[in-house]
Amino acid sequence: MQQQLPITIAPDDQFSDALKPLVAELEMWINFQALKADWYSNEDCTLSFDFTLVRSLAEKTQGLCAENWVEASGYTYHFESSCLSTIAFIALDDLVHLGAGIEPAIKMRLINVANAIAQQHGLVPLTV
């Protein structure tokens, strides 16, 4: 049986299947970064992240209780301390309008969320 990675990334249903290769690459990349930073050495403190790539945050954040979510430019997330799990939405529409450099910008948003949580647990920050 295959074990799920601690950090998952999935595109919202609004995206075509053409995004899947990039998503798979990003997921492998960020899990490797976490492995290099030794995030998985303490099994009692293994953080998990469930990232969803969305067109815009407005679509996903309606109805969410703002006090439980942290919102920044291009992403929003909620950390559940009881299970060391983070749900995050990463917006892409503003990046598409910028043109080139979409992948590095997505990586920065993933890293920003992951490091915000990691810092609370004394873990080494991830780098791009």
Side-chain angles (χ1 to χ4, degrees):
M1 185 156 111
Q2 189 175 9
Q3 187 177 7
Q4 185 171 338
L5 296 170
I7 304 173
T8 61
I9 303 171
D12 189 61
D13 294 339
Q14 296 179 8
F15 292 108
S16 73
D17 288 344
L19 194 59
K20 287 185 178 181
L22 173 62
V23 169
E25 180 184 321
L26 289 168
E27 188 174 84
M28 286 186 292
W29 171 81
I30 196 161
N31 277 286
F32 183 68
Q33 297 304 313
L35 182 64
K36 284 190 332 186
D38 200 29
W39 280 20
Y40 306 138
S41 63
N42 181 354
E43 290 183 18
D44 294 332
C45 185
T46 299
L47 301 175
S48 68
F49 295 85
D50 182 14
F51 290 102
T52 303
L53 304 180
V54 297
R55 291 197 183 280
S56 74
L57 294 179
E59 298 171 357
K60 292 296 176 183
T61 57
Q62 280 184 331
L64 296 177
C65 184
E67 64 196 43
N68 293 329
W69 287 78
V70 175
E71 190 167 341
S73 178
Y75 60 88
T76 186
Y77 66 90
H78 169 70
F79 175 66
E80 182 58 54
S81 60
S82 64
C83 58
L84 300 175
S85 178
T86 301
I87 298 170
F89 296 107
I90 307 294
L92 300 185
D93 267 358
D94 63 322
L95 300 178
V96 172
H97 296 298
L98 294 175
I102 293 172
E103 185 177 340
I106 295 171
K107 286 181 176 181
M108 275 312 300
R109 289 179 179 181
L110 296 169
I111 291 282
N112 287 342
V113 172
N115 284 343
I117 304 304
Q119 181 181 18
Q120 298 173 26
H121 297 280
L123 296 173
V124 174
L126 303 182
T127 58
V128 177

